[in-house]
Amino acid sequence: MTTPTRIQRRRTKGWRKPEGAVYVGRPTRFGNPARIVRADHGLLVQWGDTGGSVGVWPTMTEARRYATEVYRAWIEQPEQADTRRLFRALLHGRDLTCWCPLPADGQPDHCHAAVLLELANQTESDQ
């Protein structure tokens, strides 16, 4: 069995989601509630559709990094234990797709799908 990976979705003609891969973006149950919103003074990271913003960032890379950190902090909360169990059951061993750009080689992956890949494929000793 190969290691599951994150795949960037495309709108190019002929692109198809690989068989067995799971889309984890909005509006799926796996979507990140932290969204990036463009504003006159920078990029805001907002929690949910109508939540308050939790900061302003000058670049998309920094906004994505923070949105991913917020997602990781949220999913790791004790009250999300049932959600983590469900996500592990549904996503274990599957490739995940979303719209975030893939990182350059050796760079961190600032995408909540990367967090989900880690979560879904943890060994028993990691949990």
Side-chain angles (χ1 to χ4, degrees):
M1 181 174 168
T2 60
T3 302
T5 61
R6 185 170 76 78
I7 300 165
Q8 183 181 15
R9 288 179 65 122
R10 304 273 180 195
R11 287 189 172 98
T12 55
K13 185 176 180 176
W15 187 89
R16 295 285 181 259
K17 177 175 64 90
E19 188 173 330
V22 177
Y23 174 55
V24 295
R26 283 183 205 94
T28 72
R29 69 173 79 190
F30 309 110
N32 188 349
R35 58 179 64 233
I36 299 170
V37 180
R38 293 187 188 279
D40 292 338
H41 54 287
L43 297 163
L44 305 174
V45 175
Q46 174 185 15
W47 190 255
D49 293 332
T50 59
S53 64
V54 291
V56 178
W57 286 264
T59 68
M60 185 60 79
T61 299
E62 286 302 304
R64 277 196 184 105
R65 179 192 56 77
Y66 187 77
T68 302
E69 288 175 8
V70 169
Y71 182 78
R72 183 183 301 277
W74 171 75
I75 198 73
E76 291 178 352
Q77 293 296 311
E79 57 270 17
Q80 297 305 323
D82 289 341
T83 300
R84 288 192 304 274
R85 277 190 288 280
L86 175 63
F87 286 8
R88 275 190 200 104
L90 296 173
L91 301 176
H92 179 77
R94 313 273 302 266
D95 291 333
L96 305 183
T97 67
C98 70
W99 293 106
C100 292
L102 296 171
D105 285 342
Q107 295 300 309
D109 194 351
H110 300 305
C111 174
H112 86 288
V115 174
L116 287 171
L117 276 172
E118 291 173 26
L119 173 75
N121 296 291
Q122 289 175 334
T123 62
E124 289 296 321
S125 62
D126 294 337
Q127 296 178 20

